[in-house]
Amino acid sequence: MSKKSLIQKEEKKKKMECKYKNIRKSLKKKNKSTFLLKEKMKINIEFQLLPRNSSSTRLRRRCFLTGRPRANFRFFNLSRIILFKMVNACLLPGVTKPNW
């Protein structure tokens, strides 16, 4: 189980990312459509004025149950440890344990 403060920090980043998503999208669109260097510099300054945590690349996928930040399976939104425990307990339909 990861620290609750880290999980709360990640939730805060998610909220901020949702809040500024449309603004970032419109700035990216403007940046692609312009060809003048001065306009692109102005747009980049606007990007820099936005909060750092509003970028989607700063988000980290975490396990749904434990909050573990590494070795997550996107399809299940679970860490590998929890996923393998659930597979062994036959709790996930359609997933079989590999035989060697």
Side-chain angles (χ1 to χ4, degrees), residues 10 12-25 28 47 50-62 74:
E10 200 65 35
K12 191 176 179 183
K13 285 181 187 179
K14 282 182 187 176
K15 287 179 186 176
M16 191 173 286
E17 191 264 335
C18 289
K19 183 178 177 182
Y20 289 98
K21 192 173 192 174
N22 293 331
I23 296 170
R24 285 187 164 276
K25 199 173 186 180
K28 283 182 184 180
F47 260 122
L50 294 176
R52 195 178 270 179
N53 287 335
S54 66
S55 175
S56 61
T57 57
R58 292 181 68 92
L59 292 178
R60 181 118 184 159
R61 260 190 334 273
R62 290 189 172 267
R74 288 184 187 186

Side-chain angles (χ1 to χ4, degrees), residues 41-83:
M41 289 177 67
K42 285 180 185 178
I43 293 169
N44 285 337
I45 290 171
E46 289 179 33
F47 260 122
Q48 290 174 1
L49 293 176
L50 294 176
R52 195 178 270 179
N53 287 335
S54 66
S55 175
S56 61
T57 57
R58 292 181 68 92
L59 292 178
R60 181 118 184 159
R61 260 190 334 273
R62 290 189 172 267
C63 176
F64 178 70
L65 294 176
T66 61
R68 182 180 163 86
R70 297 181 182 195
N72 286 323
F73 288 82
R74 288 184 187 186
F75 187 76
F76 298 105
N77 202 14
L78 295 170
S79 67
R80 63 177 171 82
I81 299 164
I82 301 298
L83 183 74

Side-chain angles (χ1 to χ4, degrees), residues 65 75-76 78 81-97:
L65 294 176
F75 187 76
F76 298 105
L78 295 170
I81 299 164
I82 301 298
L83 183 74
F84 294 145
K85 283 182 183 177
M86 291 178 82
V87 168
N88 286 335
C90 298
L91 296 175
L92 293 174
V95 179
T96 57
K97 184 179 170 188

